Amino acid sequence: MSTDRDKALVVLSGGQDSTTCLYWAIDRFGPANVSSITFDYGQKHRIELECAREVATVAGVPNVCLPIDTFAALGGDALTDTAVPVSNGVDEETELPVTFVAGRNLIFLTFAAAYAYRHGARHLVTGVAQTDYSGYPDCREETMAALQLAITLGMDREFTIHTPLMHRTKKETVDLAVQLGALEAMALTHTCYNGQRPPCGECQACRLRARGFAEAGVHDPLLDI
Ligand code: ZN
């Protein structure tokens, strides 16, 4: 019989990385012990929410979507603020990509921990990667270690944040997806910064995804939809 100690909650965005993580969690903890959480943070590309739901359905795990409408109110990033165009550019002041949503992963994982606390899970799984081209500071291993400590202390429960993709390149993430049988679900994912399915193929997110599949020698099923 499983216990709280065995239950895992995956932060599922509907993208390639979090979908791979969902299958990683199912492989590691067993399908009956895995559930997924998605955040409606006011992202311009609402299709992400639908993709997350579909991926969870195909994977056979529950999915809950929680609203956080504050990021859009903060403004200034390309994923929630309609005044900021999505581009491959960087913010001149911070030198971070315009697609950086300040605080996003910190808030997501804190809410995920709060949800996990209420639903008896101690394992949180997220698709953040240090190897990510963009170098988002909230994707770093150090940030995750500090956050794990903070939520463990702050909720007085021993949480573990799993980051299976932390040191994998995009090619290695594709290899892992193949190994875990997650390829079919890849057709349901969304990656494009322009919100397109099939993908635009031009934006940085599309190009990075395409390169990962090409290097792995695997055909991306998203291109066939
Ligand atoms: Zn694109």
Side-chain angles (χ1 to χ4, degrees), residues 190-196 198-207:
H190 170 265
T191 297
C192 181
Y193 278 153
N194 290 315
Q196 295 181 18
C200 81
E202 298 295 323
C203 74
Q204 194 147 8
C206 278
R207 281 189 274 152

Side-chain angles (χ1 to χ4, degrees), residues 8-12 18 20-22 24-26 29 34-35 37 109 112 123-128 160-165:
L9 179 66
V10 180
V11 179
L12 185 65
S18 64
T20 303
C21 285
L22 182 65
W24 178 90
I26 290 168
F29 297 99
V34 175
S35 60
I37 191 165
L109 284 161
H123 298 276
L124 304 174
V125 186
T126 171
V128 298
T160 303
I161 298 179
H162 298 270
T163 56
L165 309 184

Side-chain angles (χ1 to χ4, degrees), residues 60-82:
V61 302
N63 178 249
V64 64
C65 182
L66 297 187
I68 311 174
D69 58 7
T70 311
F71 288 112
L74 290 172
D77 72 80
L79 298 190
T80 65
D81 191 338
T82 47

Side-chain angles (χ1 to χ4, degrees), residues 84-127:
V84 180
V86 180
S87 71
N88 300 332
V90 296
D91 181 316
E92 281 177 16
E93 201 177 314
T94 62
E95 296 184 352
L96 288 169
V98 293
T99 49
F100 176 61
V101 182
R104 182 172 55 171
N105 281 324
L106 305 178
I107 302 287
F108 282 8
L109 284 161
T110 303
F111 273 127
Y115 184 88
Y117 183 93
R118 290 283 169 219
H119 293 83
R122 289 174 189 248
H123 298 276
L124 304 174
V125 186
T126 171

